[in-house]
Structures are given as structure tokens and as C-alpha cells.
Amino acid sequence: MQPIYLFNTLSRKKELFIPLHPPMVGMYVCGPTVYGDPHLGHARSAITFDLLFRLLRYWGFKVRYVRNITDVGHLESDADEGADKVGKRAKLEQLEPMEVVQYYTNRYHDFMRLLQVLPPSIEPHASGHIIEQIELIKEILEKGFGYQVNGSVYFDVEKYHQYHRYGRLSGRILDDLRANTRALEGQSDKRNPFDFALWKKGAPDHAMHWPSPWSEGFPGWHLECSAMSIKYLGETFDIHGGGMDLLFPHHECEIAQSIAAKGHETVRYWLHNNMITNNGQKMGKSLDNFITLEELFAGNHRLLAQAYSPMSVRFFILQAHYRSTLDFSNDALQAAEKGLKRVQAAAKSARALVVDADAPPSQELIQWEQNVLDALSDDLNTPVALAHLFEVVRWVNTQTDKKAAIHSQDQNRLAILLEKIPADVLGLSSEEQEDSGSHLIDGLMEMILEARNQAKVRKDYAASDAIRDRLTALGVKIKDTKEGASWERG
């Protein structure tokens, strides 16, 4: 198998990846908290680990890929205060919390499919693993690293730090946390402000709660990943991934509670993708530079010059190394769109090249194939891999212009470079697949407009207006003319 090197956040260096139980690889990635529409940040994390999942399988590894759904316990503040994010949305929309969870989980899956993100092997929900989380808390308490106060259970960071170093993953120093973390109102139950909740006693109006030995309440946010990764991957597994924003406190706390319960490291390689920024600023709702995937695909956000296809967005994300920041701009997205079309056009041109058994095989293509795979196996270096693919694109265009014949080995190698690797490893649809998707959308829109027209004929204007309003909400503009209705994106 091809050697694969990954940058381990814990050791802060690139390491040769050696699975614990080859050829099986256990991989756990933090999925979304399902209380809102997926955005560009979700897309980057999902595409990063989808790429790793695809690459491992390309090299013949079997992968048990676990990606969780956070549907309880993620409070508005990392300091264990505020409302549960899912519960807050449920109150605002006057829905059951699990209605919110199901709706936004479905939305997440829909957008991931558009981005060609493969589904994980297992997708556990935090709310479905309350028993496992309670049992893990019991272990932590038995080992002396937790304490109970008024029905809540907290992790004793100070006690843990006496035996293990807290802050190894993020580089935080406990003395600095002591000096800079102030006690907040309502946190008097904690021995130290930097201790974190393992179980919280639910307030009377808290929407989601379960019985436990300590109180009727709910688990802390960090606990779910430890409990579910151990359940499905064992007490020691290969890879744990997530966004850089989860490095502290989420993953740092996860390491502490797992080691406290089991007495040893549970994760061998930690991987983190970096953020997407906008003009150097982190994207966020408070800064009004936040773009959902729906807005991106429909083009109906003030920061967007046009709508962008899911494959253009995926190509845009792959153009930057996953550990570097990626700055959003219309110019960058438009460049990605053009770059993707160049690769797709070259794949089509390559199939049309004349094959001649007497033509000498290209040594350049042999080297480029190795270069592309070496780059991908070198900590998922997609910018370098794409640069080599564009060398192949230029080679194909040159052969096409010269009307040169190529050896059959070259044609096979071009199929690998321009079709198999882009589809199987990079997760990029072919031009034909995109065209097929466009035809499907056109056909569906014709059916919808015909149904709307029939409603108008029946003088059912409420149904006609409802169809128009639903389409408008999805970023589709309807134009009514004497000749009939037409539509356009955004």
C-alpha cells in the first residue's frame, strides 16, 4: 500500500500513518449540531474528511467512518451556560426538539449529497447514547476525576492535571487558564471556572432531559464524542477529526475525560481542518458575512455575484490545503468554476484522442500519475495534486491541437488521471453527471410550473401563490408572461 503521511495535531508533526488493525481503519469525525442550515464551514470539514475517507479506500483500506450528530447538550456558551442550541431553536419555532433535529439533519444530508460527500459508516446521535454517556461519567467519578454538585457532575481539570497534562492538544497552559478565566455568575457550583460539565441538572423549562443517578438532566457537549467513539471504534482507534474551532475546548476536554475514564490515550492521530474566512475575518452571523450552502447554490446572498454549483464549491475548497485558512471571494469561486471546467473538458478531449499502438508511451504521464497520488498521500496536499492535474490538462490540449496519436497505455493513464482520481478520490462529478443533474432539474421545474399553471386554471390562486413563494424561498425566480411562466436561479 502507498505510504500515507498525516499531520498529527497532538504531536504537531507529520507522521507516517500506520493503522492499529490493518487493513481496518477506525475514523471518528465531529459532525454538525443540527439547529440551523449547513454553511461553508460545514462543507469544508465534511469535504476534508470525505477526501481522507476516499483516499484510504482507494489504497485498499477498510474504513469504519463514524460521524456524529449533536442534538443535545451543546449550550450557547462553552462555559456550560445558556440555552441548549437545539432547544432554543425548538422554542423559537414552536416545535418539538426532535422535529428541529430531524429537519436540519435531513437538510445537512441533502447538501452533503449535492457536494458528493459520501455517507459515513455509522452516524450516531448524542440523544441516542445517553446510557453510554452515563456509564462513562460513572467511570470518571470512580477514578476520582469528577465531582457532583446539586445534581450536576463536573470534570475536575485541576485533579486531572496532577496526573496528566491538560492542554496537550491545543497548547493551552493551565496556569494561564487559572489567571485568565474568571468565575462567572451562575458558575458557583464549579470548583474552578475551567472545569466542564459532564452532566447538567435540567431546569424545569429545559426541553430535553433524561433520568440519571444524579438528577433529571442532560449530558455535557464534550461527553458524547468520547462515549460514541469508544462504543463504535474501541478504546483505542486511529483517527479523530474535526474543525480547528473544536480544538479547544471540545477536543481538549474530550481527551481529558477519555484518559480519565480509560487510563490511556484513545486517539492515535488528531486531524483538524482550518477555517473559511471572508476578507480575513472568520465567517459568522454576528459579522453579517455568513453564507449558507443553500444561498451559495442559489446565488441569493448579497455577497454573491452569482450562483455556484456544488462541484464548483467542492473544487474551490480543494484548491487550498485543509490545514490552511481559505478566504472566500467571488473571484476565487469563479476561478474554481473555470478550473473545474478545464479538467472536465480535458477528460472529454482525452477520450477523443486517436490511439496508435506504434506511438511511444508518454513518460510524463507516468510521472504525473505518481506525483498526483504522492501529493494526496502527503497529508492530503490537494493544491499540489491539482497543479499536477493541470499539467496533464495542458498536455491533453497540446496533443489535441497537434492532432497527435497516443499509445493505449496513455489513454488508460489519462482515464485514471482525469476521471478515476477526480471522481473516486477528489469526489468531483464528471461533466456528463453535472449535465444529467441539470436536465433533471429542468424537467422537475417544468413539472412544477405546469402544476402551478393548472392551479391557476382552476382559479386556485392560493396554491399557485404557495408554489411561487416556496420556489422564491429556494432562490428560484418565477416570471409570468403572456407566453407562460419561466424561471431562473436567484
Side-chain angles (χ1 to χ4, degrees):
M1 291 181 180
Q2 169 91 3
I4 296 175
Y5 291 87
L6 300 173
F7 185 87
N8 191 342
T9 310
L10 190 61
S11 66
R12 290 168 176 74
K13 63 182 180 181
K14 204 181 293 184
E15 299 178 5
L16 176 65
F17 173 67
I18 302 173
L20 184 65
H21 302 294
M24 175 60 75
V25 175
M27 182 167 81
Y28 187 95
V29 174
C30 289
T33 302
V34 283
Y35 70 101
D37 267 347
H39 51 74
L40 262 175
H42 289 128
R44 188 173 200 194
S45 184
I47 288 170
T48 295
F49 295 102
D50 181 63
L51 173 66
L52 178 58
F53 183 30
R54 288 171 176 272
L55 180 66
L56 290 168
R57 297 205 312 181
Y58 186 85
W59 287 126
F61 292 101
K62 297 178 180 179
V63 186
R64 181 171 294 157
Y65 175 18
V66 182
R67 185 184 67 204
N68 73 303
I69 294 290
T70 297
D71 56 4
V72 66
H74 193 174
L75 305 184
E76 291 178 293
S77 167
D78 286 336
D80 297 321
E81 296 301 316
D84 182 289
K85 292 183 177 183
V86 171
K88 182 179 179 181
R89 177 57 63 95
K91 283 185 179 179
L92 287 173
E93 299 185 10
Q94 296 184 319
L95 297 170
E96 283 293 323
M98 288 303 121
E99 283 184 273
V100 172
V101 168
Q102 192 64 57
Y103 177 77
Y104 286 110
T105 300
N106 291 344
R107 298 276 287 172
Y108 180 78
H109 289 158
D110 288 343
F111 286 107
M112 292 305 105
R113 277 192 290 270
L114 289 173
L115 289 166
Q116 296 291 315
V117 172
L118 298 174
S121 315
I122 303 171
E123 191 173 54
H125 288 232
S127 62
H129 294 77
I130 301 298
I131 292 173
E132 289 85 354
Q133 294 179 74
I134 288 174
E135 291 304 310
L136 193 63
I137 295 171
K138 289 179 181 177
E139 286 189 69
I140 293 170
L141 287 171
E142 287 169 6
K143 302 289 176 59
F145 293 112
Y147 57 93
Q148 305 173 49
V149 182
N150 298 327
S152 293
V153 182
Y154 295 98
F155 188 88
D156 192 336
V157 172
E158 193 87 59
K159 177 74 174 292
Y160 171 83
H161 192 66
Q162 293 174 13
Y163 300 90
H164 313 278
R165 182 189 159 197
Y166 182 80
R168 290 169 54 236
L169 183 69
S170 62
R172 304 293 176 106
I173 299 171
L174 191 58
D175 287 341
D176 293 341
L177 290 175
R178 289 190 189 97
N180 299 322
T181 307
R182 61 188 178 89
L184 301 175
E185 186 179 349
Q187 287 191 335
S188 57
D189 285 351
K190 293 184 180 183
R191 292 176 183 171
N192 291 292
F194 43 78
D195 290 349
F196 56 91
L198 298 172
W199 186 266
K200 289 279 285 184
K201 182 179 180 180
D205 62 343
H206 195 87
M208 292 177 284
H209 48 83
W210 292 264
S212 79
W214 313 287
S215 66
E216 185 82 12
F218 56 94
W221 171 39
H222 313 305
L223 195 67
E224 66 183 79
C225 290
S226 290
M228 294 190 293
S229 62
I230 290 170
K231 177 179 175 65
Y232 294 109
L233 299 174
E235 290 191 9
T236 305
F237 60 95
D238 295 304
I239 297 168
H240 194 316
M244 193 72 75
D245 56 323
L246 299 177
L247 196 65
F248 187 89
H250 184 51
H251 288 163
E252 195 70 75
C253 294
E254 188 182 335
I255 286 176
Q257 65 199 8
S258 295
I259 291 177
K262 303 302 178 184
H264 58 79
E265 296 276 3
T266 58
V267 179
R268 301 174 67 236
Y269 300 83
W270 283 90
L271 272 65
H272 292 87
N273 64 277
N274 217 321
M275 300 180 299
I276 292 183
T277 58
N278 189 343
N279 291 322
Q281 288 184 309
K282 181 182 176 181
M283 280 192 164
K285 290 182 180 179
S286 61
L287 298 173
D288 195 28
N289 62 1
F290 182 84
I291 302 174
T292 68
L293 293 176
E294 182 175 41
E295 291 168 335
L296 197 60
F297 299 159
N300 58 357
H301 188 284
R302 65 174 185 81
L303 295 175
L304 297 171
Q306 64 179 72
Y308 297 98
S309 72
M311 287 302 95
S312 295
V313 173
R314 184 168 181 124
F315 198 85
F316 162 69
I317 288 172
L318 292 173
Q319 283 184 313
H321 192 275
Y322 79 93
R323 286 192 288 110
S324 66
T325 55
L326 174 59
D327 201 52
F328 159 85
S329 72
N330 281 285
D331 288 345
L333 278 162
Q334 288 165 2
E337 190 173 63
K338 291 176 183 175
L340 175 62
K341 287 179 178 177
R342 284 180 62 200
V343 174
Q344 292 173 334
K348 191 173 182 180
S349 297
R351 291 195 295 272
L353 290 172
V354 175
V355 175
D356 183 352
D358 294 329
S362 169
Q363 296 303 308
E364 289 177 305
L365 287 179
I366 296 171
Q367 187 59 54
W368 283 328
E369 180 183 356
Q370 189 61 50
N371 290 347
V372 168
L373 294 171
D374 283 348
L376 292 172
S377 300
D378 182 16
D379 197 30
L380 311 180
N381 200 331
T382 50
V384 171
L386 290 174
H388 291 305
L389 280 184
F390 281 119
E391 290 179 305
V392 178
V393 168
R394 286 190 288 271
W395 186 90
V396 169
N397 292 339
T398 300
Q399 305 310 307
T400 302
D401 292 342
K402 293 192 304 185
K403 295 183 171 55
I406 62 171
H407 194 277
S408 59
Q409 291 180 11
D410 293 345
Q411 191 172 60
N412 293 337
R413 192 155 276 114
L414 286 171
I416 292 171
L417 280 163
L418 297 175
E419 296 182 54
K420 185 173 179 59
I421 291 174
D424 293 355
V425 184
L426 298 177
L428 297 166
S429 297
S430 68
E431 189 175 27
E432 288 81 358
Q433 287 174 309
E434 288 201 286
D435 289 344
S436 174
S438 297
H439 292 321
L440 177 62
I441 291 171
D442 290 342
L444 290 172
M445 284 303 304
E446 285 181 20
M447 291 171 59
I448 293 169
L449 293 180
E450 178 60 28
R452 180 170 176 266
N453 184 56
Q454 291 297 324
K456 292 172 75 174
V457 169
R458 297 192 307 270
K459 296 186 179 181
D460 186 356
Y461 300 115
S464 171
D465 290 347
I467 292 172
R468 180 200 61 207
D469 294 343
R470 288 290 301 276
L471 291 172
T472 300
L474 292 171
V476 177
K477 288 185 178 179
I478 301 297
K479 292 184 179 179
D480 290 307
T481 65
K482 292 180 181 179
E483 291 76 26
S486 63
W487 68 279
E488 63 181 31
R489 291 178 183 271

